[in-house]
Amino acid sequence: MAAPDTSSRASVADNYDAVIIGAGAGGISALIHLRNLGLTCRLFEAGEGPGGAWYWNRYPGARFDSESYSYGFFFSPDLFREWNWSEHFSGQPETEAYFNYVVDRFDLRKDMQFATRVSAARFIEGENVWEVALADGTTCRARWLIAAVGPLTTPQLPRIAGIESYAGEAYHTARWPHHPVDFAGKRVGVIGTGASGVQVIQEVAKTARHLTVFQRTANYMAPLKNGPVTPEEQTGIQSRYDELKARVSSTYAWFLHSPDPRSIFDLSDDDRERFFEERYNARGMAIWQGNFRDILTDRAANDLISDFIRRKIRERVKDPQTAEKLVPKDHGFGTRRVPHETNYFEVYNQPNVTLVDLKATPFEVIAPDGIRTSEGFHELDMLIYATGFDAVTGAFEAIDIVGVDGRELRAEWRDGPVTYLGLMTPGFPNFFMSAGPLSAQGNIPRTCEYNAVWVAELVRYMNENGLTYIEPDPAAAEQWTAHARDVQSALLVDEVDSWFTGVNANREGRLERRVVQYRGGAYIYRERSEAAIANGFPEFIKK
Ligand code: NA7
């Protein structure tokens, strides 16, 4: 038997200018921009290939709900013009292929090490470097550490008694196996009706003998309106690189859609209804991100759109009792993530599908052959957990990150993250986050790409000035965090439990709402980020 190839493994002697954690959109962006500066980089990725979320979330039905050409990279006009997205909202296999294409196209693989989990990182004071420990026991060192670990990457299982006793097939949507999973002839249970649950439910319902959906919170949803990109559309999209780049760089949340500047009350009832109808039937997030600006701040405005969506659900679901379970009543439209669907509500008109309302009949126990709720026992051959993530902070906190004076990141963020633009946090010099807590929310790869440029500019500044240590001034980080808090407190989202507000009932100590994302608009975020670059990073401690 040949000896295992360990040539690409890091050893204790390895030193790099930069270590990057994660091969999703953030890690790839960071690697490209830092390599362009001439830095030696090493990227570690736990998965066996690139793609991040699009490597792990390979469940049937997984696809974008932001337009494919607004999600892919913008750093290279050539790349933008040569890649043909086959659908307006690409499915996971094509997206994973795209990430592999990008990695090969820019010869990134030689600096990437897959199947390698980073377990810890410690800042060595005096030397101003990070020592990075891998799960296989080896370590390496780098001046700069970039955690591009993703805001939605640490899967969460529900805390239900007996969960470990389940003996049937069981999968989490974010840890879906590489082998085909067959639902035909099986009694399948799906827990969770967020963006992932909705997509997998639509697929399972097609072939399962019986599908039981366990829903805790009813969500507002809107049709995705996916379709193939025609050759004419393809040419049009690829020729509009500059325009599309400018557009995603100017909207509130980096999407192609942006709010209508009018108030919802400027329109007559009939005109408003027509507007809603048009947006409901438009592609992607039009009705959410492209609605009136006041639906997210004004309860009366929000009631109007919430009622519209509720009517749609009641129209589409035949059984009135099932429809009532699917109609959200405890929050307003757009205050939680709006899943985008394709015939999702019609699934509940099928005879092979049952909806369990967990608010009325909660889980009692999971047994080897199914689940007991307070209303009875559901026998299941397969259980799918679409129960989401330890969102936004979870993947950062999963690594033992220790900064100056032995400060632990996890402990520092116990009462909520404190960051400077989601990019850096006090006490952790030379440590950067991609799409970190309190960065501008929205179309995640846009934040990632933008963050990578910022980090590269900072590193360039440090090198040009012969500096080796930088961390944000605690007052500046506190100011940004307070600003993010102020912005959120003016939004209806602040009154609602979800991962948007950092609530995670599956993790101890995460029942209180907190501020984990910046909701003041990507344009303000960009202004602040660019001012830091232009002014020579004044709000930082530098040595
Ligand atoms: P989400 O949006 O966090 O959805 C998770 C779903 O799982 C949601 O319906 C939860 O209900 C449900 N859930 C979680 N824990 C439980 C327990 N213990 N019991 C019952 N139901 C539970 O995750 P997704 O993966 O769908 O999407 C995350 C993001 O990734 C998405 O926004 C995309 O941008 C990509 P709840 O609503 O908490 O009552």
Side-chain angles (χ1 to χ4, degrees):
M1 199 173 104
D5 175 16
T6 53
S7 57
S8 68
R9 297 271 138 186
S11 74
V12 74
D14 284 331
N15 286 302
Y16 304 100
D17 293 324
V19 158
I20 299 162
I21 313 171
I28 289 173
S29 300
L31 181 54
I32 283 177
H33 289 284
L34 293 178
R35 248 177 40 170
N36 284 348
L37 287 181
L39 267 55
T40 57
C41 302
R42 190 68 165 167
L43 183 151
F44 299 112
E45 162 60 53
E48 290 181 352
W54 300 100
Y55 170 85
W56 295 105
N57 290 267
R58 48 202 319 124
Y59 59 85
R63 68 172 61 252
F64 291 152
D65 49 16
S66 47
E67 285 75 358
S68 309
Y69 30 90
S70 73
Y71 192 99
F73 294 102
F74 277 90
F75 70 87
S76 160
D78 290 342
L79 170 67
F80 188 88
R81 291 184 189 120
E82 73 200 26
W83 180 264
N84 295 322
W85 292 107
S86 68
E87 293 176 279
H88 286 282
F89 303 93
S90 167
Q92 181 273 336
E94 184 171 314
T95 305
E96 190 184 11
Y98 170 75
F99 277 101
N100 277 282
Y101 175 80
V102 172
V103 164
D104 292 327
R105 165 82 164 72
F106 296 94
D107 194 21
L108 304 178
R109 219 173 278 271
K110 64 174 190 281
D111 294 324
M112 297 177 141
Q113 186 172 314
F114 295 103
T116 304
R117 188 169 285 282
V118 171
S119 53
R122 188 171 59 98
F123 187 69
I124 317 269
E125 288 174 65
E127 295 182 51
N128 297 348
V129 293
W130 282 91
E131 186 171 82
V132 178
L134 309 179
D136 69 3
T138 56
T139 60
C140 63
R141 288 182 168 202
R143 170 81 66 220
W144 315 108
L145 177 62
I146 297 98
V149 291
L152 296 159
T153 41
T154 307
Q156 285 285 272
L157 286 173
R159 298 203 288 179
I160 306 169
I163 186 167
E164 66 297 331
S165 73
Y166 182 67
E169 285 177 78
Y171 309 103
H172 191 289
T173 45
R175 287 293 176 273
W176 202 262
H178 289 236
H179 62 75
V181 174
D182 191 8
F183 309 119
K186 294 178 186 162
R187 296 162 302 179
V188 182
V190 176
I191 304 178
T193 53
S196 307
V198 167
Q199 292 185 333
V200 80
I201 286 164
Q202 291 166 177
E203 291 303 310
V204 176
K206 289 177 185 164
T207 53
R209 169 146 71 102
H210 196 87
L211 165 63
T212 307
V213 175
F214 297 94
Q215 170 195 276
R216 188 165 63 185
T217 307
N219 275 326
Y220 296 93
M221 298 177 201
L224 181 63
K225 299 281 173 184
N226 188 26
V229 176
T230 64
E232 299 74 47
E233 286 172 330
Q234 195 75 262
T235 311
I237 290 162
Q238 289 169 342
S239 66
R240 285 159 54 224
Y241 168 81
D242 291 327
E243 178 201 325
L244 292 172
K245 185 179 179 193
R247 179 146 186 84
V248 294
S249 306
S250 64
T251 56
Y252 171 74
W254 322 90
F255 294 112
L256 292 174
H257 310 275
S258 65
D260 189 302
R262 293 172 295 176
S263 163
I264 203 168
F265 301 109
D266 291 345
L267 277 73
S268 69
D269 290 353
D270 285 353
D271 286 348
R272 188 183 308 121
E273 187 72 8
R274 261 193 296 278
F275 176 93
F276 286 163
E277 197 66 45
E278 180 268 312
R279 294 287 147 117
Y280 192 73
N281 289 301
R283 251 185 224 132
M285 299 187 179
I287 194 150
W288 182 24
Q289 298 294 328
N291 213 306
F292 297 105
R293 60 175 167 71
D294 44 4
I295 65 157
L296 301 181
T297 53
D298 182 305
R299 188 172 307 285
N302 186 275
D303 284 347
L304 291 169
I305 180 63
S306 299
D307 283 345
F308 175 86
I309 303 285
R310 290 185 190 120
R311 271 188 276 134
K312 288 290 181 194
I313 299 171
R314 290 184 178 114
E315 278 167 23
R316 290 173 59 183
V317 179
K318 287 188 187 138
D319 172 41
Q321 280 183 337
T322 306
E324 281 321 297
K325 291 183 194 172
L326 289 163
V327 167
K329 301 185 179 83
D330 58 0
H331 64 284
F333 174 80
T335 59
R336 310 172 98 231
R337 170 69 148 90
V338 177
H340 293 267
E341 44 84 26
T342 305
N343 298 327
Y344 174 72
F345 290 108
E346 287 70 17
V347 157
Y348 296 95
N349 298 332
Q350 294 180 201
N352 66 331
V353 178
T354 307
L355 177 66
V356 175
D357 174 3
L358 293 170
K359 290 251 163 91
T361 56
F363 287 132
E364 286 185 347
V365 71
I366 298 186
D369 55 345
I371 296 188
R372 179 173 299 286
T373 67
S374 64
E375 106 211 276
F377 193 74
H378 301 267
E379 276 187 59
L380 300 168
D381 305 308
M382 185 192 295
L383 193 42
I384 298 175
Y385 299 101
T387 44
F389 302 94
D390 187 6
V392 187
T393 51
F396 296 96
E397 293 172 325
I399 302 171
D400 285 322
I401 300 176
V402 180
V404 293
D405 301 328
R407 286 163 70 175
E408 295 173 21
L409 188 73
R410 226 177 269 137
E412 296 288 317
W413 288 358
R414 192 164 289 136
D415 298 325
V418 175
T419 74
Y420 180 89
L421 300 169
L423 281 157
M424 296 190 80
T425 188
F428 297 80
N430 303 2
F431 170 68
F432 306 100
M433 295 169 285
S434 176
L438 309 180
S439 62
Q441 60 83 36
N443 196 5
I444 294 168
R446 296 286 68 73
T447 315
C448 292
E449 246 187 325
Y450 192 77
N451 287 169
V453 172
W454 190 91
V455 171
E457 287 300 324
L458 182 143
V459 170
R460 183 205 307 278
Y461 169 89
M462 296 293 284
N463 289 346
E464 283 173 2
N465 290 281
L467 300 165
T468 60
Y469 179 111
I470 186 160
E471 63 165 310
D473 190 322
E478 190 43 60
Q479 187 274 340
W480 177 254
T481 305
H483 170 58
R485 207 178 294 130
D486 287 348
V487 165
Q488 183 167 307
S489 66
L491 299 171
L492 296 172
V493 71
D494 198 41
E495 299 165 12
V496 178
D497 289 353
S498 84
W499 68 261
F500 276 14
T501 46
V503 175
N504 179 0
N506 296 317
R507 186 171 158 187
E508 220 154 326
R510 288 293 157 89
L511 287 175
E512 300 291 317
R513 277 177 228 138
R514 45 175 65 193
V515 182
V516 293
Q517 295 182 305
Y518 179 62
R519 301 188 172 279
Y523 29 77
I524 295 178
Y525 180 77
R526 280 194 300 273
E527 261 172 42
R528 283 291 302 266
S529 306
E530 280 158 26
I533 298 171
N535 299 325
F537 304 94
E539 296 171 305
F540 289 80
I541 301 163
K542 294 171 273 193
K543 297 178 198 166

